[in-house]
DNA sequence: GTTTACCGGGCAATTACTTCA
DNA sequence: CGTGAAGTAATTGCCCGGTAA
């Protein structure tokens, strides 16, 4: 795992987390209604599979116009119209009805991809083409993944920020300890009354002939810094422990 | 058993259309 | 009314696994 700030002043991250799998399609009950379009759709519950037969005229007539379903016929028309050159008619875009969207979302909750039979059945139920159902699921998976990525990115940004803050505090503490060490240059180095080790380092030291940790090489605790809430060594240990698997602690998962 | 060609499905990137503020 | 932003349906191109020859 590496979290590399692209710049020191910016929180943009270049992240690579070995073994971290980003939101492998799981049934979702969360965000599927989250797109802002549902409100628009509610307000304008128009069956956009249908277009006015007289596309040129009318002008705001609206409700009384005669509508004709284009979905089923669009493909047929495609084959005809595609022949007449590169500049064919402008691509018409389907807008799903609220009911179609609801059913698609409902299906997506239980199944993030469909087999051909399911696709065909759903298409028939929704009066859409199988290809349209397929495209919807494809786009829906992409949206789901995007949302998950955004959440993870947000989390990593916060994590990076707290690590940076932690690092800043530790750097400061190191400076303080260095200052203390320099100030005591004259004193004997084996002053056990003023320098102690953290328990784990003490164990290691007991098995060796080490009598003193260099501040740059290993943890050291002074009576002065011990009066602070946490020692440098314990902080280092904390960071070791906490920093190892940040991705394991992702609080939110989109399903 | 291995290689090759073909096919279908999924995905990323992109385009294009629609709606709204 | 024109415009930009946002949302999303649709397209394109590539990759990969399965399968038959």
């Amino acid at each position: 795992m590496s979290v590399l700030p692209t710049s020191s002043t910016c929180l943009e991250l270049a992240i690579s987390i070995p073994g971290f799998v980003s939101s492998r399609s799981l049934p979702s009950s969360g965000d599927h209604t989250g797109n802002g379009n549902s409100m628009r759709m509610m307000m304008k519950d128009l069956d956009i599979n249908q277009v006015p037969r007289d596309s040129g005229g009318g002008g705001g007539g609206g409700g009384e116009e005669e509508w004709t379903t284009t979905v089923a016929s669009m493909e047929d028309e495609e084959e005809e119209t595609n022949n007449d050159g590169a500049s064919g008619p402008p691509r018409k875009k389907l807008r799903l009805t609220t009911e179609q969207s609801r059913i698609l979302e409902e299906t997506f909750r239980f199944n993030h991809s469909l087999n051909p039979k399911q696709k065909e059945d759903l298409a028939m139920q929704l009066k859409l083409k199988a290809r349209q159902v397929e495209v919807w699921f494809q786009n829906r998976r992409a949206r789901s993944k995007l949302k998950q990525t955004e959440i993870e990115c947000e989390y990593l940004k916060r994590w990076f920020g707290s690590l940076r803050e932690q690092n800043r505090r530790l750097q400061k503490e190191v400076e303080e300890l260095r200052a203390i060490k320099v100030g005591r240059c004259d004193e004997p180095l084996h002053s056990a009354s003023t320098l102690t080790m953290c328990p784990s380092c003490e164990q290691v030291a007991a098995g060796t002939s080490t009598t003193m940790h260099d501040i740059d090489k290993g943890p050291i605790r002074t009576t002065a810094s011990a009066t602070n809430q946490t020692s440098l060594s314990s902080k280092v240990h904390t960071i070791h422990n906490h920093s190892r698997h940040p991705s394991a602690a992702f609080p939110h998962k989109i399903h």
Side-chain angles (χ1 to χ4, degrees):
Chain A
M1 155 90 196
S2 61
V3 178
L4 305 170
T6 53
S7 84
S8 58
T9 57
C10 162
L11 276 182
E12 303 236 337
L13 303 176
I15 301 163
S16 81
I17 310 171
F20 178 70
V21 180
S22 172
S23 83
R24 202 58 198 161
S25 312
L26 290 170
S28 160
S29 58
D31 74 311
H32 62 279
T33 53
N35 50 44
N37 259 19
S38 52
M39 279 303 284
R40 288 187 216 154
M41 297 282 241
M42 300 268 269
M43 294 166 67
K44 210 171 190 176
D45 190 9
L46 175 68
D47 184 357
I48 38 58
N49 296 337
Q50 302 180 330
V51 296
R53 189 164 280 170
D54 178 14
S55 60
E64 305 307 321
E65 277 176 333
E66 194 178 358
W67 294 80
T68 176
T69 302
T70 57
V71 174
S73 58
M74 249 160 59
E75 200 167 39
D76 304 336
E77 288 173 12
E78 263 176 47
E79 282 154 15
E80 296 165 16
T81 54
N82 277 358
N83 294 337
D84 50 23
S87 59
R91 190 206 286 178
K92 273 294 164 193
K93 186 170 174 174
L94 162 81
R95 299 290 300 185
L96 298 169
T97 64
T98 48
E99 182 61 8
Q100 285 171 325
S101 294
R102 189 189 64 75
I103 293 172
L104 283 165
E105 287 290 353
E106 191 69 19
T107 311
F108 185 79
R109 275 182 62 187
F110 298 103
N111 219 347
H112 280 204
S113 58
L114 303 175
N115 63 37
K117 176 84 172 73
Q118 292 172 316
K119 201 188 302 173
E120 201 62 50
D121 290 347
L122 188 57
M124 201 178 304
Q125 181 189 354
L126 297 174
K127 296 185 172 66
L128 294 173
K129 288 185 289 182
R131 170 67 181 156
Q132 288 173 307
V133 171
E134 183 181 311
V135 165
W136 187 90
F137 269 76
Q138 228 162 58
N139 287 322
R140 185 62 181 80
R141 282 192 294 269
R143 285 198 296 273
S144 189
K145 185 174 181 179
L146 176 65
K147 189 142 192 168
Q148 179 65 43
T149 302
E150 283 170 358
I151 287 171
E152 287 163 3
C153 183
E154 206 48 48
Y155 175 80
L156 285 173
K157 277 183 186 173
R158 286 204 303 273
W159 181 66
F160 173 68
S162 79
L163 271 186
R164 199 169 54 172
E165 174 60 22
Q166 214 166 5
N167 188 42
R168 193 191 59 76
R169 287 202 312 268
L170 290 173
Q171 295 273 10
K172 194 178 162 197
E173 196 167 332
V174 165
E175 288 305 319
E176 289 170 6
L177 291 172
R178 278 213 179 96
I180 290 170
K181 189 183 174 187
V182 168
R184 290 182 180 161
C185 268
D186 305 335
E187 296 179 16
L189 285 176
H190 297 79
S191 176
S193 63
T194 56
L195 291 173
T196 60
M197 292 181 222
C198 69
S200 61
C201 294
E202 220 161 8
Q203 282 177 357
V204 173
T208 69
S209 59
T210 308
T211 55
M212 170 75 187
H213 285 220
D214 185 285
I215 187 67
D216 293 325
K217 290 178 187 164
I220 193 167
R221 181 192 294 171
T222 68
T223 50
S225 73
T227 60
N228 290 342
Q229 322 84 327
T230 50
S231 70
L232 176 61
S233 56
S234 67
K235 282 178 180 174
V236 169
H237 290 164
T238 301
I239 290 177
H240 282 173
N241 292 335
H242 288 198
S243 304
R244 201 165 295 146
H245 36 57
S247 57
F250 273 110
H252 313 297
K253 276 278 175 189
I254 292 275
H255 298 308

